[in-house]
PDB file of all heavy atoms in Angstrom:
ATOM      1  N   MET E   1     -23.944 -18.111  -9.371  1.00 80.00           N
ATOM      2  CA  MET E   1     -22.673 -17.377  -9.173  1.00 80.00           C
ATOM      3  C   MET E   1     -21.659 -18.296  -8.496  1.00 80.00           C
ATOM      4  O   MET E   1     -21.974 -18.935  -7.503  1.00 80.00           O
ATOM      5  CB  MET E   1     -22.962 -16.157  -8.295  1.00 80.00           C
ATOM      6  CG  MET E   1     -21.766 -15.342  -7.883  1.00 80.00           C
ATOM      7  SD  MET E   1     -21.102 -14.298  -9.164  1.00 80.00           S
ATOM      8  CE  MET E   1     -22.529 -13.327  -9.619  1.00 80.00           C
ATOM      9  N   ARG E   2     -20.428 -18.320  -9.072  1.00 93.00           N
ATOM     10  CA  ARG E   2     -19.409 -19.192  -8.493  1.00 93.00           C
ATOM     11  C   ARG E   2     -18.975 -18.657  -7.121  1.00 93.00           C
ATOM     12  O   ARG E   2     -18.777 -17.452  -6.960  1.00 93.00           O
ATOM     13  CB  ARG E   2     -18.212 -19.229  -9.452  1.00 93.00           C
ATOM     14  CG  ARG E   2     -17.166 -20.203  -9.043  1.00 93.00           C
ATOM     15  CD  ARG E   2     -16.168 -20.390 -10.179  1.00 93.00           C
ATOM     16  NE  ARG E   2     -14.969 -21.005  -9.672  1.00 93.00           N
ATOM     17  CZ  ARG E   2     -13.824 -21.041 -10.321  1.00 93.00           C
ATOM     18  NH1 ARG E   2     -13.713 -20.486 -11.509  1.00 93.00           N
ATOM     19  NH2 ARG E   2     -12.766 -21.628  -9.786  1.00 93.00           N
ATOM     20  N   LYS E   3     -18.820 -19.588  -6.196  1.00 97.00           N
ATOM     21  CA  LYS E   3     -18.386 -19.210  -4.844  1.00 97.00           C
ATOM     22  C   LYS E   3     -16.960 -19.722  -4.670  1.00 97.00           C
ATOM     23  O   LYS E   3     -16.667 -20.866  -5.037  1.00 97.00           O
ATOM     24  CB  LYS E   3     -19.328 -19.913  -3.852  1.00 97.00           C
ATOM     25  CG  LYS E   3     -19.188 -19.466  -2.431  1.00 97.00           C
ATOM     26  CD  LYS E   3     -20.160 -20.229  -1.536  1.00 97.00           C
ATOM     27  CE  LYS E   3     -19.589 -21.585  -1.172  1.00 97.00           C
ATOM     28  NZ  LYS E   3     -20.225 -22.295  -0.097  1.00 97.00           N
ATOM     29  N   LEU E   4     -16.068 -18.889  -4.162  1.00 98.00           N
ATOM     30  CA  LEU E   4     -14.696 -19.342  -3.903  1.00 98.00           C
ATOM     31  C   LEU E   4     -14.427 -19.215  -2.410  1.00 98.00           C
ATOM     32  O   LEU E   4     -14.653 -18.147  -1.819  1.00 98.00           O
ATOM     33  CB  LEU E   4     -13.692 -18.510  -4.708  1.00 98.00           C
ATOM     34  CG  LEU E   4     -13.698 -18.765  -6.220  1.00 98.00           C
ATOM     35  CD1 LEU E   4     -12.906 -17.700  -6.970  1.00 98.00           C
ATOM     36  CD2 LEU E   4     -13.135 -20.146  -6.535  1.00 98.00           C
ATOM     37  N   PRO E  33     -17.466 -11.098 -10.028  1.00 98.00           N
ATOM     38  CA  PRO E  33     -16.829 -12.206 -10.747  1.00 98.00           C
ATOM     39  C   PRO E  33     -17.033 -13.535 -10.015  1.00 98.00           C
ATOM     40  O   PRO E  33     -17.148 -14.582 -10.635  1.00 98.00           O
ATOM     41  CB  PRO E  33     -15.345 -11.811 -10.771  1.00 98.00           C
ATOM     42  CG  PRO E  33     -15.190 -10.770  -9.704  1.00 98.00           C
ATOM     43  CD  PRO E  33     -16.507 -10.087  -9.568  1.00 98.00           C
ATOM     44  N   ALA E  34     -17.088 -13.467  -8.699  1.00 98.00           N
ATOM     45  CA  ALA E  34     -17.317 -14.649  -7.849  1.00 98.00           C
ATOM     46  C   ALA E  34     -17.679 -14.141  -6.463  1.00 98.00           C
ATOM     47  O   ALA E  34     -17.421 -12.986  -6.134  1.00 98.00           O
ATOM     48  CB  ALA E  34     -16.054 -15.498  -7.765  1.00 98.00           C
ATOM     49  N   ILE E  35     -18.265 -14.999  -5.670  1.00 98.00           N
ATOM     50  CA  ILE E  35     -18.552 -14.621  -4.278  1.00 98.00           C
ATOM     51  C   ILE E  35     -17.388 -15.112  -3.417  1.00 98.00           C
ATOM     52  O   ILE E  35     -17.131 -16.320  -3.339  1.00 98.00           O
ATOM     53  CB  ILE E  35     -19.862 -15.283  -3.773  1.00 98.00           C
ATOM     54  CG1 ILE E  35     -21.054 -14.872  -4.651  1.00 98.00           C
ATOM     55  CG2 ILE E  35     -20.111 -14.959  -2.306  1.00 98.00           C
ATOM     56  CD1 ILE E  35     -21.426 -13.410  -4.604  1.00 98.00           C
ATOM     57  N   ILE E 351      -8.887 -14.936 -11.198  1.00 98.00           N
ATOM     58  CA  ILE E 351      -9.055 -16.380 -10.928  1.00 98.00           C
ATOM     59  C   ILE E 351     -10.118 -16.965 -11.861  1.00 98.00           C
ATOM     60  O   ILE E 351      -9.898 -17.971 -12.536  1.00 98.00           O
ATOM     61  CB  ILE E 351      -9.460 -16.621  -9.451  1.00 98.00           C
ATOM     62  CG1 ILE E 351      -8.349 -16.164  -8.504  1.00 98.00           C
ATOM     63  CG2 ILE E 351      -9.796 -18.101  -9.225  1.00 98.00           C
ATOM     64  CD1 ILE E 351      -8.728 -16.204  -7.028  1.00 98.00           C
ATOM     65  N   VAL E 352     -11.258 -16.295 -11.893  1.00 98.00           N
ATOM     66  CA  VAL E 352     -12.404 -16.842 -12.634  1.00 98.00           C
ATOM     67  C   VAL E 352     -12.153 -16.803 -14.146  1.00 98.00           C
ATOM     68  O   VAL E 352     -12.513 -17.726 -14.870  1.00 98.00           O
ATOM     69  CB  VAL E 352     -13.670 -16.024 -12.261  1.00 98.00           C
ATOM     70  CG1 VAL E 352     -14.819 -16.353 -13.170  1.00 98.00           C
ATOM     71  CG2 VAL E 352     -14.040 -16.296 -10.818  1.00 98.00           C
TER      72      VAL E 352
END
Side-chain angles (χ1 to χ4, degrees):
M1 175 76 56
R2 186 168 163 195
K3 190 180 82 166
L4 289 168
I35 301 294
I351 296 173
V352 169

